[in-house]
Amino acid sequence: MSQPVVPKHARVVVIGGGIIGTSVAYHLAHAGWKDVVLLERDKLTSGTTWHAAGLMVTFGSTSETSTEMRKYTAGLYARLEAETGQATGFKPCGFIEVAADVDRLEEYRRVSAFNRYCGIDVQEISPKQVKDLFPIANVDDVLAGFYVAKDGRVDPVDVTMALGKGARLQGATILEGVPALGVVTKQGAVTGVDTPFGTIGCEYVVNCAGMWARQLGAKNGVNIPLQSAEHYYLITEKIAGISRDWPVLEDPGSYGYFREEGGGLMVGMFEPVCAPWKINGVPEDFSFGEIPPDWDRMTPYLEKAMKRVPVSQEAGLKKFFCGPESFTPDLRPVVGEAPEVKNYFVAAGLNSIGILTGGGMGKVMAHWIMHGQPDVDVTGMNIDRLHKYQSNPEYRRTRTVESLGMVYQCHYPTRSMTTARDAKRSAVHERLVSWGAYFKDVSGWEGADWYAGYGQTPDPGPLSFGRQHWYKNWEAEHRATREGVILMDMSFMSKFRVEGRDAGRLLNQLSANNVDAEPGRITYTQWLNEGGTLEADLTVTKFDDRHYFVVASDTAHRHVETKMKRLFDTGHAFCSDVTSAYAQLNIQGPRSRELMQAVTTVDLSNEVFPFRAVTELDIGFARVICVRITYLGELGYELYIPAEQAVHVYDRLVKAGEPLGLRHAGLKALASLRMEKGYRDYGHDIDN
């Protein structure tokens, strides 16, 4: 066999020939960037794509971005055969989601309303109509079905081959049997890709290596917290009367989905307690391999799933397949430019939605690479939301059990991840425990959501879509902020010290508002990109002409840090991440000045210390940065306290607050208070 010939240079090198890699190459070439090389270490579709179930479903997402990707993908697959001459197996036979309990019914009605808003024709149908469309289903306990007539299925191998052919027809080069050994960088930017057959110089790299993406990224210090896990489906022998025209039937409450396959049934599975695979790394030569199925672990889940279609229990077993798929800690994709290396893009972690969003993801990535900015909201999927500790083997082993299990669990609005917890604690964490804090996962921090009261153990009760028993606690915290005074721990906020003679000028270059005015002032501002759209939503405090303090939300931590570091390379400015160095305690409410004045000698009167003023003040034996600002809509102060003195300051505040009726307030109150006031939240009301 002749040795592959690799080019000396390409504008973009795409690594990985699955559905995502071929889609990225296809869309770059179609958009006019012909100088694209796709490297596949084995054959196209190896890894995960070849054994995907091939659902092409637009229903089910509560992300507008993901829903639009799905719609675009369905349209692309429908026209791809005519463009390329390569079959895709796309068949819009319909899709039904069934609800067999009241919570699922509530969830799917909410999802349906949102999907209809996004232009998807979702119909709520009766159990009888479900039976009419999928005659072998047991619908005795079904409350309703949710039907999309134009959804259906596609052949994952065929559609990947069609995208590859379409990319070649537009001038892209696809090289099979050529592994990427590593990405070459210089001064923090991509310069090429090493292969066994020579180095390809390039301007951009796109890591679409699927379950190998984490291992490939780690070679350049790029953090991609992906973990492979077992994923199962069963294929029966032929069953009389089954039609390829029947819709796909999905029943998450029974852990399964069903569609025709070879005259029999495919029974796909997403069990609630999952099994990570190869924590230490996926073997480099695992291409079209299978994992021996764990019958003992899976049998109870399989039996529950097959009760939805009883004939599947009687049919002969043709195949019980187990293959690996890779998942992120929060079950969302990991896409975008890596914070660690310029022009190193990642598109991975598609978490069992790779086929049905593959076309749209390729289009989004191509635009992002070509224009330097995404043209859709990527807030929830941007690679820079993820932190390095999430790649730790123990973290991946622990969290993946839950994150993959979330695929088919009921998605309650107040649910917080429960595994891999206690990774980050505020300096006053134990004090909050004594006040009955109920904690939720806040970017790995333990954030107090609401309080049961001093000496009480918080009982969240069962998850629900309705008003829960702790609502009264939330309401009391909300009212205390409006009528009295509260203490709120916000230590999870991202904090950066910025210094240098060009610090003010460069921060102003990022900021929509003037953050370089008089010293001793805090400015709330958005950060904008060259297109004038939002990159971040934060505050900048100016201490003096060379010293500034930037505070952003927990979710924006690495995004904000990366924006600063890349811009500061152009001048004399430096940023230090001091998130862990300072606890943040907020004292808010109409009686907050009373409380603050009781613990410090500094005059905090309105005349001396007006809104947006900043000073360093004394509290007991501590020096504290005090900012008069509010996100809750009342008179209030944010205190930034050296972590080692946080408990001391906290105790002084609580003691002084006793005669004023000081109450602890959590993140539920934060949300309702800021919404009542009309204050925006990046990721909810505003985005990129």
Side-chain angles (χ1 to χ4, degrees):
M1 195 172 159
S2 60
Q3 179 173 305
V5 178
V6 302
K8 296 290 185 188
H9 187 272
R11 194 169 193 180
V12 184
V13 174
V14 179
I15 302 172
I19 189 74
I20 305 302
T22 53
S23 181
V24 171
Y26 172 91
H27 284 92
L28 283 167
H30 260 272
W33 280 28
K34 312 289 187 181
D35 190 10
V36 174
V37 172
L38 184 150
L39 302 180
E40 167 51 52
R41 60 178 183 76
D42 197 327
K43 299 290 185 184
L44 293 186
T45 77
S46 73
T48 298
T49 297
W50 73 274
H51 64 73
L55 307 188
M56 184 51 253
V57 175
T58 57
F59 174 83
S61 177
T62 52
S63 156
E64 188 169 8
T65 301
S66 185
T67 303
E68 291 301 323
M69 281 184 187
R70 293 171 184 220
K71 289 165 59 182
Y72 171 83
T73 301
L76 174 66
Y77 293 171
R79 67 176 187 269
L80 206 52
E81 184 172 351
E83 175 191 330
T84 65
Q86 164 72 47
T88 62
F90 178 62
K91 185 173 178 61
C93 54
F95 171 79
I96 306 170
E97 189 93 77
V98 298
D101 63 74
V102 291
D103 283 2
R104 298 272 181 185
L105 185 62
E106 175 68 19
E107 178 182 359
Y108 297 149
R109 281 176 173 167
R110 291 179 180 212
V111 171
S112 296
F114 179 76
N115 285 177
R116 281 191 285 268
Y117 163 78
C118 293
I120 295 171
D121 184 17
V122 186
Q123 303 294 327
E124 182 174 334
I125 60 176
S126 68
K128 180 184 181 300
Q129 289 172 299
V130 173
K131 184 83 171 174
D132 290 343
L133 289 163
F134 204 95
I136 57 176
N138 170 21
V139 298
D140 292 349
D141 60 338
V142 169
L143 301 176
F146 296 85
Y147 177 55
V148 182
K150 292 183 179 179
D151 281 354
R153 54 190 285 191
V154 71
D155 186 299
V157 172
D158 285 350
V159 80
T160 303
M161 295 302 182
L163 286 166
K165 186 174 181 181
R168 285 192 182 101
L169 289 171
Q170 292 297 321
T173 300
I174 294 180
L175 299 174
E176 294 180 293
V178 181
L181 301 178
V183 176
V184 185
T185 64
K186 185 176 181 180
Q187 295 184 335
V190 166
T191 60
V193 177
D194 281 334
T195 81
F197 312 106
T199 298
I200 306 172
C202 64
E203 300 168 44
Y204 301 88
V205 159
V206 194
N207 180 343
C208 300
M211 59 185 170
W212 291 274
R214 176 180 57 80
Q215 292 156 239
L216 178 63
K219 294 180 179 182
N220 295 94
V222 173
N223 179 53
I224 307 170
L226 276 180
Q227 177 55 49
S228 297
E230 297 177 5
H231 180 52
Y232 289 84
Y233 57 75
L234 179 147
I235 298 175
T236 72
E237 298 285 0
K238 289 186 177 182
I239 299 172
I242 284 187
S243 170
R244 276 183 61 82
D245 295 330
W246 288 358
V248 176
L249 179 72
E250 187 169 54
D251 178 19
S254 296
Y255 319 131
Y257 59 87
F258 308 84
R259 70 163 176 80
E260 183 276 339
E261 176 68 29
L265 274 180
M266 173 187 280
V267 184
M269 304 283 296
F270 283 103
E271 70 275 22
V273 180
C274 306
W277 183 73
K278 299 290 184 187
I279 298 289
N280 294 328
V282 178
E284 296 291 339
D285 60 352
F286 187 91
S287 291
F288 293 92
E290 300 181 28
I291 303 170
D294 186 340
W295 282 96
D296 289 342
R297 188 176 75 82
M298 292 302 296
T299 295
Y301 303 127
L302 198 55
E303 287 175 346
K304 184 173 175 65
M306 295 172 86
K307 285 178 182 176
R308 179 60 63 209
V309 183
V311 70
S312 65
Q313 297 172 303
E314 302 156 18
L317 174 64
K318 191 173 183 179
K319 178 79 174 175
F320 188 37
F321 176 85
C322 179
E325 287 198 68
S326 52
F327 295 85
T328 56
D330 56 9
L331 207 62
R332 297 197 294 253
V334 50
V335 300
E337 187 179 10
E340 300 88 352
V341 182
K342 288 182 185 175
N343 298 335
Y344 188 123
F345 284 80
V346 177
L350 275 296
N351 309 315
S352 288
I353 58 168
I355 303 300
L356 57 90
T357 58
M361 181 58 74
K363 181 174 183 283
V364 167
M365 291 304 297
H367 184 281
W368 199 338
I369 293 162
M370 294 173 69
H371 299 281
Q373 301 293 339
D375 59 341
V376 298
D377 171 29
V378 294
T379 307
M381 62 181 71
N382 200 318
I383 185 173
D384 58 23
R385 78 186 185 279
L386 298 163
H387 294 267
K388 197 164 186 178
Y389 80 94
Q390 293 176 301
S391 286
N392 284 10
E394 186 174 347
Y395 182 96
R396 288 184 282 109
R397 179 186 293 109
T398 306
R399 176 53 68 87
T400 303
V401 171
E402 181 180 20
S403 62
L404 173 51
M406 277 299 297
V407 174
Y408 270 4
Q409 289 184 30
C410 209
H411 300 98
Y412 295 101
T414 59
R415 189 194 188 282
S416 181
M417 299 301 263
T418 59
T419 55
R421 292 286 296 270
D422 276 334
K424 305 180 199 175
R425 285 182 169 191
S426 156
V428 298
H429 178 87
E430 293 303 330
R431 293 292 199 270
L432 305 185
V433 169
S434 69
W435 280 91
Y438 176 74
F439 295 100
K440 72 174 183 178
D441 185 332
V442 182
S443 299
W445 289 83
E446 294 300 307
D449 206 26
W450 50 271
Y451 290 84
Y454 189 77
Q456 302 294 309
T457 300
D459 172 21
L463 289 164
S464 167
F465 285 99
R467 182 174 292 187
Q468 293 171 267
H469 75 91
W470 42 260
Y471 178 88
K472 63 182 184 300
N473 303 66
W474 173 9
E475 182 184 12
E477 293 167 25
H478 184 109
R479 289 189 181 280
T481 313
R482 290 282 180 253
E483 298 165 4
V485 60
I486 59 98
L487 180 151
M488 185 176 285
D489 178 32
M490 299 278 286
S491 298
F492 54 79
M493 294 292 282
S494 308
K495 313 171 202 72
F496 303 93
R497 275 201 176 263
V498 178
E499 300 174 282
R501 62 174 175 266
D502 295 327
R505 175 179 65 83
L506 293 172
L507 285 170
N508 249 356
Q509 191 172 322
L510 287 167
S511 303
N513 290 331
N514 181 15
V515 301
D516 193 21
E518 70 261 38
R521 299 281 279 174
I522 185 172
T523 303
Y524 165 63
T525 187
Q526 279 77 42
W527 280 4
L528 307 181
N529 53 44
E530 292 79 359
T533 56
L534 302 183
E535 291 284 341
D537 180 65
L538 42 71
T539 61
V540 179
T541 296
K542 179 177 181 177
F543 297 132
D544 59 47
D545 287 340
R546 282 176 169 244
H547 297 88
Y548 298 78
F549 196 56
V550 174
V551 179
S553 70
D554 57 293
T555 53
H557 191 134
R558 300 189 74 213
H559 188 73
V560 166
E561 184 178 29
T562 304
K563 295 297 289 186
M564 285 191 285
K565 286 185 173 178
R566 293 199 174 160
L567 180 62
F568 292 176
D569 281 346
T570 65
H572 185 268
F574 313 92
C575 77
S576 303
D577 180 3
V578 294
T579 301
S580 302
Y582 290 94
Q584 180 182 339
L585 299 179
N586 293 357
I587 303 298
Q588 301 273 320
R591 302 194 73 178
S592 57
R593 184 184 288 117
E594 246 182 294
L595 171 51
M596 287 300 300
Q597 203 63 80
V599 295
T600 184
T601 61
V602 173
D603 185 355
L604 296 179
S605 65
N606 193 54
E607 295 72 29
V608 175
F609 197 67
F611 183 60
R612 290 180 54 215
V614 179
T615 192
E616 185 180 80
L617 50 73
D618 63 294
I619 297 180
F621 305 134
R623 302 297 296 177
V624 174
I625 299 169
C626 177
V627 182
R628 187 177 156 193
I629 198 79
T630 179
Y631 189 52
L632 308 183
E634 296 294 339
L635 173 68
Y637 306 86
E638 293 181 356
L639 307 179
Y640 298 92
I641 310 154
E644 68 275 15
Q645 293 187 299
V647 171
H648 171 70
V649 171
Y650 170 90
D651 287 345
R652 292 291 178 107
L653 291 166
V654 170
K655 186 175 181 180
E658 281 177 14
L660 303 176
L662 174 69
R663 191 172 187 119
H664 287 65
L667 298 174
K668 279 284 177 286
L670 175 82
S672 56
L673 288 156
R674 70 96 187 160
M675 282 193 284
E676 188 172 79
K677 185 67 175 177
Y679 288 153
R680 309 299 189 263
D681 185 18
Y682 194 94
H684 288 103
D685 316 293
I686 51 178
D687 57 54
N688 68 277

